[in-house]
Amino acid sequence: MRLTAMTVAAALVAGSALAEPVTPGDVQYDEYGAVAASLTGVAGDPVNGGKIMADKSQGNCIACHAVTALNDAPFHGEVGPMLDGVGGYRTAEELRGIVANAKMTFEDSVMPAFYKTTGFIRPGDAYTGKAAQGELSPLLSAQDIEDVVAFLLTLKD
Amino acid sequence: IAAAPLAMAEATDDQLVVNGDLEIVTQTAAAAHLEGSVDEVFSGWKFRDEGTRAMQMDDFDNPGMIFVDQAREAWAAVEGTEGKSCASCHGEPEDMAGVKAVYPKWNEEAGEVRTLTMQMNDCRTNRMGADAWKYDGGDAVNMDALLSSVSRGMPMNVAIDGPAQSTWELGKELYYTRTGQLELSCANCHEQNYGNYIRADHLSQGQINAFPAYRLKNAKLNGVHNRFKGCVRDTRAETYKEGSPEFIALELYVASRGNGLSVEGPSVRN
């Protein structure tokens, strides 16, 4: 991004836009697993969020969930519930918590934690089958999570 | 956690009969040790599409049988310093009928649980003076396929008690351990979600009664440890190696989950 007077001004207004995103270890979950504060302070981009959910190498959420709005991408799975309408009955805070670490909302969930970097058994180096080298990156970045949440909020019946 | 009731509906009702007369049990009541896990066990065949299922109904259409023929040659081939072949000591491959159904099995003399591959490599190194075959490499998997084919239709019946029990317990622990960055266990996919699709894949119970499996995906026979490795890798985990103590234990445990299903290898899978 080119740093123009405009973007700097916008960032100053948003307050935290140029601040570092909340790290995976610092995310504050409430007792139900929801996360109140944005991880980045930058509004999510729902279009990109939909792409992340369908992309095999990113969220690959449709491996487990059917989402009618993403029907352009083939093969939606059945391991998790269908997500149509989820933006109508879940808040942004709840959705952020579920996508960042679903196990804080649903105990022992099969759903992977997308914003977590420690506490794994035999963590690998992506899909190579080899041991992880150094620190792990979360499956999705802070802004990716915000984008996905923004997309989920568009899923209203 | 009990299996989702819907899952059973997702397995085909078709029956597997090979060559028009060899009946294969692909669905049966679960062994007693699976209480609280699943009530019924299913062969992976039940979850494959019609075309893939059909290929396994006739040996002429089953590409895995080519490798069985290759193993028949290896069976009779003299190798190693002792001037012997498998046939020198074991006669015809058909004389080994029933062996596959009880492996992995405790070997008293060696004081260890042995997979079929370990046993044949023991014969090669200690009785033939030949090199061990690479674990789950072509030669070993082909011979496994031959030994499976002569036991086809017999019920899997591996022993889990007595001296094998501690190995079995380790295998069970591994089966329920959630590995890798995706934190998924074998059970998450193959016990809780069999019958469901995960992206384009129709999840089976992950049984091994039908191994080795000819996979259309890589056009070769695949061994059990090879398959385990792929599944563990897909959890974004560091895998175990073929032939490792962990996979030997896991093989014993997973084989025991299929007790009662027929020996079915070499099978056809996608």
Side-chain angles (χ1 to χ4, degrees):
Chain A
M1 183 171 76
R2 249 172 71 229
L3 215 57
T4 62
M6 275 296 284
T7 53
V8 170
L12 288 175
V13 171
S16 54
L18 285 185
E20 289 291 302
V22 178
T23 62
D26 285 335
V27 179
Q28 298 295 317
Y29 296 89
D30 74 14
E31 59 178 312
Y32 303 106
V35 175
S38 163
L39 301 179
T40 59
V42 176
D45 169 0
V47 175
N48 192 44
K51 282 189 193 137
I52 291 168
M53 285 189 63
D55 186 345
K56 242 184 155 160
S57 63
Q58 296 192 66
N60 199 19
C61 312
I62 63 170
C64 292
H65 296 283
V67 185
T68 305
L70 298 175
N71 269 353
D72 281 354
F75 307 124
H76 295 207
E78 305 170 323
V79 169
M82 125 90 79
L83 296 178
D84 288 7
V86 76
Y89 59 87
R90 291 246 178 230
T91 63
E93 292 75 16
E94 288 171 338
L95 292 170
R96 185 178 293 117
I98 291 169
V99 181
N101 185 352
K103 288 158 182 86
M104 306 300 273
T105 301
F106 310 107
E107 205 186 340
D108 297 330
S109 182
V110 168
M111 179 164 156
F114 287 87
Y115 203 59
K116 175 180 154 176
T117 52
T118 55
F120 303 115
I121 296 168
R122 294 180 74 84
D125 183 5
Y127 290 105
T128 61
K130 299 200 170 72
Q133 299 295 318
E135 256 177 66
L136 289 175
S137 306
L139 295 171
L140 294 177
S141 73
Q143 192 57 44
D144 289 343
I145 307 267
E146 294 302 325
D147 292 355
V148 166
V149 169
F151 174 78
L152 291 171
L153 285 170
T154 68
L155 302 178
K156 300 199 163 102
D157 286 325
Chain B
I1 307 142
L6 264 181
M8 285 169 217
E10 299 282 347
T12 177
D13 290 331
D14 285 7
Q15 303 297 315
L16 175 54
V17 180
V18 177
N19 301 331
D21 61 7
L22 179 57
E23 288 181 22
I24 303 286
V25 175
T26 53
Q27 175 175 358
T28 192
H33 71 82
L34 285 177
E35 197 183 327
S37 158
V38 293
D39 298 334
E40 267 193 306
V41 288
F42 299 87
S43 159
W45 183 83
K46 283 275 190 183
F47 300 87
R48 304 286 52 95
D49 65 31
E50 212 179 333
T52 310
R53 289 202 302 273
M55 290 175 84
Q56 218 186 298
M57 300 181 83
D58 190 319
D59 283 348
F60 285 109
D61 298 329
N62 181 341
M65 294 311 286
I66 296 162
F67 301 98
V68 168
D69 289 341
Q70 287 177 13
R72 277 189 189 275
E73 283 171 32
W75 180 264
V78 172
E79 264 195 88
T81 56
E82 305 305 304
K84 289 193 163 72
S85 70
C86 315
S88 318
C89 299
H90 293 294
E92 292 299 314
E94 281 68 19
D95 295 337
M96 303 295 267
V99 171
K100 170 75 179 191
V102 297
Y103 270 78
K105 181 173 109 175
W106 174 258
N107 183 296
E108 191 58 48
E109 236 169 275
E112 63 185 9
V113 169
R114 277 189 182 165
T115 62
L116 206 55
T117 305
M118 290 162 77
Q119 177 58 52
M120 54 191 156
N121 272 337
D122 182 72
C123 287
R124 287 182 62 80
T125 53
N126 292 326
R127 298 186 214 277
M128 294 169 67
D131 289 338
W133 280 325
K134 180 173 180 271
Y135 208 103
D136 272 5
D139 293 320
V141 176
N142 291 357
M143 189 57 73
D144 188 349
L146 172 60
L147 294 173
S148 301
S149 71
V150 298
S151 290
R152 268 194 306 183
M154 301 173 110
M156 284 298 297
N157 184 24
V158 301
I160 64 173
D161 51 0
Q165 194 181 338
S166 58
T167 306
W168 183 82
E169 300 281 0
L170 169 63
K172 181 175 181 182
E173 191 185 315
L174 290 164
Y175 191 86
Y176 288 99
T177 299
R178 303 186 63 160
T179 58
Q181 200 171 358
L182 301 187
E183 296 176 282
L184 292 170
S185 68
C186 315
N188 287 147
C189 287
H190 294 297
E191 178 175 294
Q192 278 175 262
N193 279 296
Y194 70 89
N196 285 331
Y197 274 87
I198 185 161
R199 200 102 203 208
D201 289 316
H202 196 191
L203 283 167
S204 72
Q205 286 186 339
Q207 299 286 1
I208 56 173
N209 62 300
F211 271 73
Y214 179 88
R215 293 188 67 187
L216 303 170
K217 187 177 166 182
N218 59 12
K220 65 181 182 81
L221 278 181
N222 296 262
V224 165
H225 292 197
N226 208 268
R227 180 40 122 158
F228 288 174
K229 210 172 154 180
C231 282
V232 176
R233 183 199 58 216
D234 286 349
T235 69
R236 294 178 77 111
E238 178 189 0
T239 63
Y240 299 100
K241 289 189 172 51
E242 289 99 337
S244 63
E246 289 85 0
F247 275 170
I248 292 162
L250 188 60
E251 180 175 345
L252 174 64
Y253 178 69
V254 178
S256 79
R257 290 179 69 96
N259 273 352
L261 293 171
S262 296
V263 174
E264 194 189 303
S267 60
V268 186
R269 299 289 188 262
N270 51 332

